[in-house]
Amino acid sequence: MQKHSKDLPELEGDYSLSPQQIASYQQDGHILIKAAANPAEIAAYREVISYEVVAQKIGKYTKPLSERDTYGKAFIQITNLWETNPAVKRFVTARRFAKIAAELMGVQGVRIYHDQALFKEPGGGHTPWHQDQIYWPLETEHTITMWMPLVDISEEMGSMTFASGSHKSGYISKLVISDESHKTLKEYIDSKGFGRVTYGAMKAGDATFHAGWTLHSAPGNPTIRMREVMTVIYFADNTRIAEPDSNARKNDLDRWLPGLHAGELAASRLNPLVYSSSK
């Protein structure tokens, strides 16, 4: 049964970041934040997020894993749960997480781009190397994704692997997530000598944050448990929309920035301001 949003934790309390953590994120393009949500908080929100994923995935993932392409094997992906579930909205728009995102990027305020539940099934495939921001028509380097497991994940089940410092290269390739992106970007990482960092096992409520241009991948899930993860993508307030230069960006403009055009402020009804240091 769905919970009413008023019965869930507020997630308003501040998480204190050190100057060293902020500097590390800005240097590497990724960071692990321990206990961004406490066990009681994440248990409460896991219930409502999982409920929504199950409700929305019916009919969308009917093929067995063996018959899906690489992208389809990587995860069950449900986007913008906050639009349909007020309880999930409370998690996605939480001030605590948004403030972490803003402080890591060094900006005064952040808006939501969209959320994604990414559930990697038992036996699910790997997530190929890619950059998130190739999909996003945003004129800024100040974008960031929070990746938070809703359950404890073992080292075997796998968290993400990041290519440290790769965000400083900016727009590397237009390749969408695919076998081709995995091969081409792996070769690029090797040629540039980027160090690879994997955070391994994570507790429910821990979170990684990574920049939109940071190259990253994830292993498959060889366990018998679902790897349940919730993500939220933020971008700096006052960002303008870039002219879409690919079909992926055109599609994103229509879906996540409805009614807006290149050159306008990225501030549609789907992009609420969720944190501002001036308010």
Side-chain angles (χ1 to χ4, degrees):
M1 182 180 293
Q2 292 193 62
K3 290 186 178 182
H4 195 283
S5 58
K6 67 180 178 63
D7 298 324
L8 292 164
E10 292 187 357
L11 299 171
E12 292 297 303
D14 286 354
Y15 188 104
S16 296
L17 294 173
S18 69
Q20 291 76 20
Q21 286 176 305
I22 294 171
S24 176
Y25 169 80
Q26 294 181 2
Q27 175 65 31
D28 295 335
H30 59 84
I31 193 170
L32 171 64
I33 301 295
K34 292 282 193 179
N38 68 41
E41 291 169 338
I42 201 64
Y45 282 101
R46 179 204 175 194
E47 184 176 340
V48 297
I49 292 169
S50 296
Y51 177 95
E52 194 67 19
V53 169
V54 170
Q56 291 196 34
K57 82 171 185 177
I58 294 173
K60 290 185 178 180
Y61 291 86
T62 55
K63 288 184 178 180
L65 279 166
S66 61
E67 295 179 16
R68 300 183 205 166
D69 62 14
T70 298
Y71 192 96
K73 291 175 181 176
F75 35 61
I76 294 170
Q77 179 182 32
I78 308 294
T79 54
N80 256 31
L81 277 67
W82 76 268
E83 283 189 87
T84 55
N85 189 313
V88 180
K89 179 179 179 180
R90 192 163 187 161
F91 179 93
V92 172
T93 62
R95 179 182 182 277
R96 183 192 303 165
F97 306 148
K99 183 172 183 285
I100 294 172
E103 291 183 347
L104 288 173
M105 292 191 292
V107 301
Q108 291 189 331
V110 293
R111 292 181 178 271
I112 296 293
Y113 187 56
H114 65 79
D115 70 50
Q116 292 178 308
L118 300 175
F119 282 33
K120 194 178 287 284
E121 297 157 278
H126 74 120
T127 305
W129 283 106
H130 66 282
Q131 292 179 295
D132 293 337
Q133 200 163 330
I134 67 156
Y135 293 94
W136 308 340
L138 298 171
E139 286 187 346
T140 182
E141 73 274 15
H142 295 309
T143 62
I144 193 169
T145 297
M146 179 183 78
W147 190 94
M148 180 179 286
L150 305 175
V151 296
D152 292 350
I153 58 175
S154 64
E155 186 166 357
E156 181 186 23
M157 188 181 291
S159 55
M160 288 194 292
T161 299
F162 302 99
S164 292
S166 58
H167 64 303
K168 296 177 182 177
S169 297
Y171 203 155
I172 296 169
S173 167
K174 292 181 182 180
L175 289 172
V176 297
I177 299 173
S178 61
D179 292 332
E180 185 182 1
S181 78
H182 191 68
K183 178 179 183 296
T184 301
L185 294 175
K186 181 179 180 296
E187 291 172 353
Y188 179 84
I189 291 165
D190 292 342
S191 71
K192 294 295 184 181
F194 292 127
R196 302 183 196 188
V197 174
T198 302
Y199 291 110
M202 294 172 63
K203 293 288 188 182
D206 290 347
T208 58
F209 286 77
H210 67 272
W213 290 128
T214 300
L215 287 162
H216 58 287
S217 66
N221 178 12
T223 75
I224 60 172
R225 295 182 61 219
M226 182 80 80
R227 195 194 70 182
E228 302 174 27
V229 171
M230 186 63 180
T231 70
V232 183
I233 303 164
Y234 308 89
F235 63 90
D237 189 25
N238 295 316
T239 291
R240 293 195 177 271
I241 299 171
E243 185 69 46
D245 59 354
S246 66
N247 287 332
R249 286 188 161 193
K250 289 174 184 175
N251 292 336
D252 260 35
L253 175 58
D254 291 341
R255 176 63 180 96
W256 309 120
L257 299 159
L260 300 181
H261 304 89
E264 295 181 330
L265 286 173
S268 80
R269 62 180 175 80
L270 295 184
N271 315 115
L273 181 68
V274 285
Y275 173 76
S276 174
S277 61
S278 63
K279 296 181 180 180

